Amino acid sequence: MRQLKFCLLAAALAAGVSAPLFAEESSVEQRLQRMERLLNSQSLLDMSQRIDALQAEVQQLRGQIEEQQHTIKGLKSRQRELYLDIDRRITRFEREGEAPAQPVATKPQDAEASSPAQTANDEQRMQQERVAYQKAFDMLRELRYAQATAAFRSFLKEYPDGKYAHIAQYWLGEAGYAQRKFKQAVSDYEVLLQNYPNSPKRAEAMLKIGYSYYELKQMQQATAILKQLIQEYPDSTEAGQARSLLKQIRKKTG
């Protein structure tokens, strides 16, 4: 009887210990097999390749961003130079005072025939012209380019032969140039050369046409106007700047 109990106890102990151990070993082995299958699966390989591709794309995008930041920095610097340039020109113009009017051919009898009423009307119109010009000029001085451009064009439509017409046309070119609207700047500067050939701003306008063509990468046109400037105003400050720009053009074009 005692021997039977011992056998039963031994069997129970054997069953209680060996079964869990066997089950645990089997579970660990199965998990290891699953991990091996995951590591060897094609999906994991594809994921690794995608990560590598994304990393390469991120590096490329970073390079492009750095390049764009450098370009933007250069444009901001150039824009600041344009603002400072136009501010210097406005300040110089204010310091030097009003530019002389364009010469207008008149007949001696016209002055004699002018009545007091006509003289009063002329003075009133001159005052209106001065006010309209000053309004547009103030907008330009405040760097309100769009409003100033519209105001100067309206002014020129009303006073095409007025005292301030040639300088208004010059400021139109300057406004376009400061905004890097170089095609429009060239057009407005050329109107000054054609319509107001005696303007004291002629040399500056020619120089700015040269710079505008340079920015537009139209080197042949830039060279032509710069050479014309040097020929017409050989001893001027603008001619010296034109010679410097011509050297830059030669370096670029070989």
Side-chain angles (χ1 to χ4, degrees), residues 176-228:
Y177 187 85
Q179 297 175 89
R180 300 185 65 81
K181 297 179 179 179
F182 297 115
K183 289 184 179 179
Q184 184 60 56
V186 168
S187 178
D188 286 322
Y189 286 130
E190 286 182 341
V191 171
L192 172 68
L193 301 184
Q194 295 169 6
N195 294 355
Y196 311 99
N198 297 322
S199 172
K201 293 294 184 181
R202 179 179 171 84
E204 292 184 37
M206 294 173 73
L207 178 64
K208 282 303 185 64
I209 291 174
Y211 275 116
S212 297
Y213 277 133
Y214 179 81
E215 294 288 350
L216 293 169
K217 302 186 187 305
Q218 299 179 18
M219 302 306 177
Q220 186 175 355
Q221 292 89 330
T223 299
I225 191 67
L226 292 172
K227 287 183 177 180
Q228 181 183 350

Side-chain angles (χ1 to χ4, degrees), residues 131-165:
V131 170
Y133 170 81
Q134 189 63 47
K135 181 179 178 181
F137 183 77
D138 289 341
M139 292 177 183
L140 181 65
R141 182 170 50 191
E142 295 167 1
L143 305 184
R144 295 159 57 193
Y145 294 119
Q147 297 92 326
T149 298
F152 276 126
R153 294 200 188 284
S154 178
F155 172 87
L156 286 166
K157 186 177 181 180
E158 181 68 21
Y159 307 100
D161 300 319
K163 177 179 180 180
Y164 302 96

